[in-house]
Amino acid sequence: KGDIETPNSAEIAVYNLSEATSSKIRKEFTRVVLQAGYQDNCAVIFDGTIRQVRRFRENGTDVCTSILAADGDAAYNYAVVNTLAAGSTSAEHVGACQKAFSGKGADAGYIPDMAGPALPRGKVMYGMARKYMRDTAKQAGTSWSIQDGKVQMIPVRGYLPGEAVVLTAETGLVGAPEQTNDGIKVRCLLNPRLRIGGRIKLDNASVKEMKTELKMNANLYGKPKLDNDGLYRIIKCEFTGDTRGNDWYADLVCIGIDDTMHLPLDQL
């Protein structure tokens, strides 16, 4: 998952289903919802459209049914909008795009206050909804993406409402967070509370600081900043889980709340 408009994706491998069940998934179902977590913290980590189902023998004993899915790809690829009347606002532009997205299966998620001046003349909006959503988001100083079938917009210096997930060795932090060119990289145990645009809280003393080359001006190249309060916004989250093995992780890339320099390029 990422804080970018390109649809999120999942690859789900299910072992030793009967051939009849695998065939039923391929022929009858179009949507997959994946839940994961622990007994007191289990929730949806992916909701999307099935794009491909494969069945193959992985070894001498195990048959794998692999489901490849995308989140909101129908809305992203096929939603179109029409003209708005004079006096329309940014909120109405988002509303027009959202109406088109909803018609393709992507409902409204978190949208911040889009207050702004009305246009004196009509705005021609005829074409792909994603283009006009991109333009409106840029003008409003937000990012936009589709997360688990819902369209959300996050201010570039903001975050989703809700408490930050505190990550320590006692609450699931694995290893030491690391400051990199892409952002603060963090590994923790799989946690469905981790959401794109949401926050985590770290002890900055636990973050391994990035090495700056002697010939590089750190201020000029702008390495990711450590937030004074240890609060970071999640811009990328990759869940990895194996109910038959030991992998059960969330790998995050995060930035300080005010660090707009390291947002994904298509959100600047």
Side-chain angles (χ1 to χ4, degrees):
K1 297 184 172 185
D3 191 12
I4 55 176
E5 63 180 61
T6 307
N8 296 326
S9 63
E11 186 172 359
I12 305 166
V14 188
Y15 287 90
N16 299 323
L17 292 177
S18 68
E19 187 172 354
T21 301
S22 292
S23 179
K24 188 174 182 180
I25 293 173
R26 181 184 293 111
K27 295 178 180 179
E28 297 185 23
F29 294 97
T30 59
R31 178 185 173 203
V32 60
V33 178
L34 180 63
Q35 292 182 305
Y38 296 88
Q39 186 171 4
D40 58 347
N41 183 23
C42 186
V44 173
I45 62 170
F46 183 84
D47 185 339
T49 304
I50 297 174
R51 305 301 300 164
Q52 183 183 24
V53 178
R54 297 181 300 142
R55 176 181 167 87
F56 55 89
R57 185 169 293 280
E58 191 168 85
N59 51 48
T61 57
D62 292 321
V63 176
C64 176
T65 299
S66 176
I67 303 170
L68 185 64
D71 180 5
D73 62 323
Y76 182 79
N77 290 318
Y78 302 114
V80 295
V81 292
N82 296 314
T83 306
L84 286 177
S88 60
T89 63
S90 293
E92 290 174 307
H93 301 163
V94 171
C97 293
Q98 181 56 61
K99 182 178 179 180
F101 288 140
S102 295
K104 297 296 182 182
D107 296 327
Y110 175 73
I111 305 291
D113 181 16
M114 301 293 290
L119 296 178
R121 294 180 295 275
K123 179 178 177 63
V124 176
M125 296 177 68
Y126 186 80
M128 301 304 297
R130 67 182 185 229
K131 174 191 182 301
Y132 294 104
M133 194 69 168
R134 182 187 310 136
D135 294 343
T136 303
K138 186 172 183 178
Q139 293 168 5
T142 69
S143 64
W144 85 275
S145 61
I146 301 175
Q147 304 295 332
D148 297 325
K150 296 186 182 298
V151 178
Q152 72 176 32
M153 302 180 76
I154 307 293
V156 293
R157 285 187 171 86
Y159 45 85
L160 285 178
E163 294 184 2
V165 178
V166 179
L167 291 179
T168 66
E170 290 73 29
T171 62
L173 183 65
V174 177
E178 184 176 0
Q179 184 186 41
T180 72
N181 282 323
D182 297 326
I184 310 301
K185 291 190 174 182
V186 182
R187 168 168 276 199
C188 63
L189 296 181
L190 191 151
N191 187 337
R193 292 177 57 207
L194 299 168
R195 299 179 296 163
I196 296 298
R199 295 177 299 165
I200 63 170
K201 183 173 177 59
L202 298 172
D203 178 359
N204 283 340
S206 69
V207 179
K208 180 181 178 182
E209 189 173 354
M210 173 181 161
K211 177 183 177 182
T212 302
E213 298 298 331
L214 294 177
K215 295 181 180 180
M216 178 187 294
N217 184 329
N219 294 323
L220 176 63
Y221 285 87
K223 65 181 180 180
K225 301 175 183 177
L226 296 183
D227 183 84
N228 291 334
D229 298 319
L231 291 169
Y232 298 92
R233 166 180 165 177
I234 302 171
I235 60 173
K236 183 178 179 181
C237 179
E238 182 173 340
F239 291 117
T240 305
D242 185 352
T243 57
R244 294 164 44 138
N246 295 321
D247 287 349
W248 199 253
Y249 301 119
D251 289 293
L252 312 175
V253 178
C254 308
I255 58 172
I257 301 302
D258 294 325
D259 188 3
T260 60
M261 180 178 294
H262 293 89
L263 280 172
L265 291 177
D266 67 350
Q267 305 294 12
L268 298 177

